Structures are given as structure tokens and as C-alpha cells.
Amino acid sequence: MILRTFQDAERSERRVATANWESVRLLLRDDNMGFSFHITTIYAGTETPIWYQNHLESVYCIEGEGEVETVADKRIYPIKPGTMYVLDQHDRHLLRAKTPLKLACVFNPPLHGNEVHDENGVYPLVAEQIGD
Ligand code: 9YT
């Protein structure tokens, strides 16, 4: 059994912040669940290019308003509370927040904890350690 609170996690190294977003990573790879689970806030007025070439991600909107555009076909999907979008094709996309967007995010494979996007919006696939 694992029990954590958002309130404790956001005051620890589980909180990772960038110019466009911050993320509180409640479950990580070393919890051995096969996925990681984060509460992410995308700052209002931002556009973030993202391309998870090495990960699958599901995103559920708890609060806020925004949109996601898939780069390949330029389709725009509105995001509001209750909306889920799923990057099942490793879709390259642009995430825009009109107001602060509070999102629950699940990653497979799980993140290690300190990843931030590189210049292409990608998280590296951290090599498994021998013996893992
Ligand atoms: C929705 C999304 O992918 N935002 C970027 C941050 C990511 N959720 C994370 O690392 O927690």
C-alpha cells in the first residue's frame, strides 16, 4: 500500500517546474506500478510543443480551459473539465492553456522523476539499469 498526499508531494522534489508548466509527480518508476501519475498545471496563456516519442500519455482535465492541436493534421480539440485526451499514436501536438489547466496525467513507461521536455518536446527514454 502506498499513500501520499498532493500537499506533501508539492513541497518535495516530486514537484518539477518549467516556464510553461509545473507537475507534481505522485507515482514514479520506482513505485513499480508500470506507469507514472502526475498532477500537472499548465500556465495560462502558454503554448507548449510536445512530442512523446518514447512514452504514451493519457491526460484528464480537472480544471481550466484550453485546447490541443495535433501537428500532423492541424486538428484542434477543445479541453475543459471532464475532457480526456490520449496520445495513443505518440502524436506530436501543441498544448494551449487559456486559463490555468489542471490535468491528471498517466505515463507509460513511467517517468523516473526529473524529466523535462527537450527542445522538441520529448522526454528521453532513460535506459534501464542492468539488474533492474
Ligand atoms: C500534459 C503534459 O504532458 N504536460 C507536460 C507535463 C507532463 N504532464 C509531466 O511531466 O507531468
Side-chain angles (χ1 to χ4, degrees):
M1 171 83 184
I2 297 169
L3 188 142
R4 294 190 179 119
T5 67
F6 179 85
Q7 290 80 0
D8 286 344
E10 72 174 341
R11 283 189 265 105
S12 76
E13 70 287 351
R14 290 178 178 281
R15 178 178 174 276
V16 174
T18 71
N20 286 8
W21 53 262
E22 62 187 68
S23 184
V24 177
R25 294 167 171 174
L26 288 168
L27 269 182
L28 287 166
R29 178 179 174 276
D30 63 4
D31 293 307
N32 294 315
M33 292 294 289
F35 58 87
S36 59
F37 177 68
H38 319 170
I39 300 296
T40 298
T41 303
I42 312 292
Y43 302 145
T46 59
E47 177 184 86
T48 308
I50 303 178
W51 192 9
Y52 294 129
Q53 296 174 36
N54 302 311
H55 298 82
L56 297 168
E57 186 193 25
S58 298
V59 180
Y60 176 80
C61 178
I62 299 166
E63 208 174 278
E65 240 191 283
E67 63 184 29
V68 58
E69 175 174 345
T70 39
V71 172
D73 57 7
K74 297 195 177 325
R75 281 189 68 175
I76 294 178
Y77 302 85
I79 303 172
K80 58 180 198 224
T83 304
M84 178 182 71
Y85 70 88
V86 176
L87 302 161
D88 61 331
Q89 304 296 321
H90 300 279
D91 320 53
R92 188 176 192 171
H93 60 288
L94 297 165
L95 179 58
R96 301 186 186 104
K98 285 184 197 153
T99 66
L101 270 180
K102 193 195 263 192
L103 308 171
C105 308
V106 173
F107 279 82
N108 171 23
L111 297 200
H112 284 236
N114 53 7
E115 291 92 339
V116 290
H117 297 145
D118 70 9
E119 67 281 5
N120 298 311
V122 179
Y123 289 147
L125 187 62
V126 179
E128 303 294 301
Q129 312 260 317
I130 293 172
D132 274 7

Short mmCIF file of all heavy atoms in Angstrom, two decimals, residues 21 23 25 38 40 42 50 52 57 85 95 103 105 107 117 123, ligand 1:
data_model
loop_
_atom_site.label_atom_id
_atom_site.label_comp_id
_atom_site.label_asym_id
_atom_site.label_seq_id
_atom_site.Cartn_x
_atom_site.Cartn_y
_atom_site.Cartn_z
N TRP A 21 4.84 25.08 -17.40
CA TRP A 21 4.03 24.18 -16.58
C TRP A 21 4.78 23.73 -15.34
O TRP A 21 6.00 23.84 -15.26
CB TRP A 21 3.58 22.95 -17.39
CG TRP A 21 4.67 22.19 -18.09
CD1 TRP A 21 5.01 22.31 -19.41
CD2 TRP A 21 5.56 21.19 -17.53
NE1 TRP A 21 6.05 21.45 -19.70
CE2 TRP A 21 6.40 20.76 -18.58
CE3 TRP A 21 5.72 20.63 -16.28
CZ2 TRP A 21 7.39 19.79 -18.39
CZ3 TRP A 21 6.71 19.66 -16.08
CH2 TRP A 21 7.52 19.25 -17.14
N SER A 23 4.56 20.25 -12.51
CA SER A 23 3.98 18.93 -12.40
C SER A 23 4.37 18.31 -11.07
O SER A 23 5.54 18.34 -10.69
CB SER A 23 4.52 18.07 -13.57
OG SER A 23 3.91 16.81 -13.54
N ARG A 25 4.63 14.90 -9.31
CA ARG A 25 4.70 13.51 -9.77
C ARG A 25 4.46 12.58 -8.59
O ARG A 25 5.35 12.28 -7.80
CB ARG A 25 6.04 13.30 -10.47
CG ARG A 25 6.04 14.15 -11.75
CD ARG A 25 7.33 14.33 -12.42
NE ARG A 25 7.11 14.97 -13.73
CZ ARG A 25 8.07 15.36 -14.52
NH1 ARG A 25 9.32 15.20 -14.17
NH2 ARG A 25 7.78 15.93 -15.68
N HIS A 38 0.73 11.93 -12.50
CA HIS A 38 1.13 13.29 -12.16
C HIS A 38 -0.08 14.21 -12.14
O HIS A 38 -1.01 14.02 -12.94
CB HIS A 38 2.08 13.89 -13.21
CG HIS A 38 3.12 12.96 -13.74
ND1 HIS A 38 3.90 13.26 -14.81
CD2 HIS A 38 3.50 11.71 -13.36
CE1 HIS A 38 4.74 12.27 -15.07
NE2 HIS A 38 4.51 11.31 -14.21
N THR A 40 -0.60 17.95 -13.14
CA THR A 40 0.15 18.97 -13.88
C THR A 40 -0.69 20.23 -14.01
O THR A 40 -1.88 20.14 -14.31
CB THR A 40 0.49 18.43 -15.30
OG1 THR A 40 1.31 17.27 -15.17
CG2 THR A 40 1.21 19.46 -16.14
N ILE A 42 -0.80 23.61 -16.31
CA ILE A 42 -0.25 24.34 -17.46
C ILE A 42 -0.60 25.81 -17.25
O ILE A 42 -1.77 26.15 -17.01
CB ILE A 42 -0.88 23.84 -18.78
CG1 ILE A 42 -0.87 22.29 -18.89
CG2 ILE A 42 -0.18 24.49 -19.98
CD1 ILE A 42 0.46 21.65 -19.02
N ILE A 50 4.81 19.50 -27.75
CA ILE A 50 5.12 18.23 -27.05
C ILE A 50 5.12 17.10 -28.08
O ILE A 50 4.26 17.05 -28.97
CB ILE A 50 4.07 17.94 -25.95
CG1 ILE A 50 3.98 19.10 -24.95
CG2 ILE A 50 4.40 16.64 -25.22
CD1 ILE A 50 2.93 18.93 -23.85
N TYR A 52 5.89 13.06 -27.37
CA TYR A 52 6.37 11.97 -26.54
C TYR A 52 6.67 10.75 -27.42
O TYR A 52 5.86 9.85 -27.55
CB TYR A 52 5.35 11.62 -25.45
CG TYR A 52 5.16 12.72 -24.44
CD1 TYR A 52 3.89 13.17 -24.11
CD2 TYR A 52 6.25 13.29 -23.80
CE1 TYR A 52 3.71 14.18 -23.19
CE2 TYR A 52 6.09 14.31 -22.87
CZ TYR A 52 4.81 14.75 -22.57
OH TYR A 52 4.64 15.75 -21.65
N GLU A 57 0.79 8.76 -23.24
CA GLU A 57 0.27 9.58 -22.15
C GLU A 57 -1.25 9.72 -22.27
O GLU A 57 -1.77 9.94 -23.38
CB GLU A 57 0.90 10.98 -22.17
CG GLU A 57 0.48 11.81 -20.95
CD GLU A 57 0.79 13.30 -21.06
OE1 GLU A 57 0.90 13.80 -22.19
OE2 GLU A 57 0.90 13.94 -20.03
N TYR A 85 -7.79 13.47 -23.17
CA TYR A 85 -7.16 13.18 -24.47
C TYR A 85 -6.02 12.20 -24.24
O TYR A 85 -5.39 12.20 -23.18
CB TYR A 85 -6.73 14.46 -25.21
CG TYR A 85 -5.58 15.23 -24.63
CD1 TYR A 85 -4.26 14.91 -24.98
CD2 TYR A 85 -5.78 16.28 -23.76
CE1 TYR A 85 -3.19 15.63 -24.47
CE2 TYR A 85 -4.72 17.01 -23.24
CZ TYR A 85 -3.44 16.68 -23.60
OH TYR A 85 -2.39 17.39 -23.08
N LEU A 95 -0.02 22.16 -26.97
CA LEU A 95 -0.97 22.26 -25.86
C LEU A 95 -1.08 23.73 -25.48
O LEU A 95 -0.08 24.38 -25.17
CB LEU A 95 -0.45 21.42 -24.69
CG LEU A 95 -1.29 21.40 -23.43
CD1 LEU A 95 -2.71 20.91 -23.71
CD2 LEU A 95 -0.63 20.51 -22.38
N LEU A 103 -4.42 19.20 -14.82
CA LEU A 103 -4.54 17.93 -15.55
C LEU A 103 -4.01 16.78 -14.72
O LEU A 103 -3.00 16.92 -14.01
CB LEU A 103 -3.72 18.02 -16.85
CG LEU A 103 -3.98 19.22 -17.75
CD1 LEU A 103 -2.94 19.27 -18.87
CD2 LEU A 103 -5.39 19.16 -18.34
N CYS A 105 -2.28 13.24 -15.29
CA CYS A 105 -1.55 12.64 -16.42
C CYS A 105 -0.97 11.29 -16.00
O CYS A 105 -0.40 11.16 -14.92
CB CYS A 105 -0.39 13.53 -16.84
SG CYS A 105 -0.85 15.24 -17.15
N PHE A 107 1.63 8.24 -17.47
CA PHE A 107 2.66 7.92 -18.48
C PHE A 107 3.04 6.44 -18.42
O PHE A 107 3.26 5.89 -17.34
CB PHE A 107 3.93 8.72 -18.20
CG PHE A 107 3.91 10.14 -18.70
CD1 PHE A 107 3.30 11.13 -17.96
CD2 PHE A 107 4.50 10.48 -19.90
CE1 PHE A 107 3.28 12.44 -18.40
CE2 PHE A 107 4.48 11.77 -20.36
CZ PHE A 107 3.87 12.76 -19.60
N HIS A 117 10.97 18.51 -20.81
CA HIS A 117 11.00 18.37 -22.27
C HIS A 117 12.33 18.86 -22.85
O HIS A 117 12.88 19.86 -22.38
CB HIS A 117 9.89 19.22 -22.90
CG HIS A 117 8.52 18.78 -22.51
ND1 HIS A 117 7.48 19.66 -22.33
CD2 HIS A 117 8.02 17.56 -22.25
CE1 HIS A 117 6.39 18.99 -21.98
NE2 HIS A 117 6.69 17.72 -21.94
N TYR A 123 10.54 13.63 -23.92
CA TYR A 123 11.26 13.14 -22.75
C TYR A 123 12.14 11.99 -23.21
O TYR A 123 11.68 11.12 -23.95
CB TYR A 123 10.31 12.57 -21.70
CG TYR A 123 9.48 13.58 -20.96
CD1 TYR A 123 8.20 13.26 -20.54
CD2 TYR A 123 9.98 14.83 -20.65
CE1 TYR A 123 7.42 14.17 -19.86
CE2 TYR A 123 9.21 15.76 -19.97
CZ TYR A 123 7.94 15.42 -19.56
OH TYR A 123 7.18 16.31 -18.89
C1 9YT B 1 0.06 17.41 -20.46
C2 9YT B 1 1.53 17.31 -20.42
O1 9YT B 1 2.14 16.38 -20.89
N1 9YT B 1 2.15 18.32 -19.82
C3 9YT B 1 3.56 18.36 -19.62
C4 9YT B 1 3.99 17.87 -18.27
C5 9YT B 1 3.71 16.40 -18.05
N2 9YT B 1 2.35 16.15 -17.80
C6 9YT B 1 4.52 15.92 -16.85
O2 9YT B 1 5.72 15.78 -16.99
O3 9YT B 1 3.94 15.71 -15.80
#
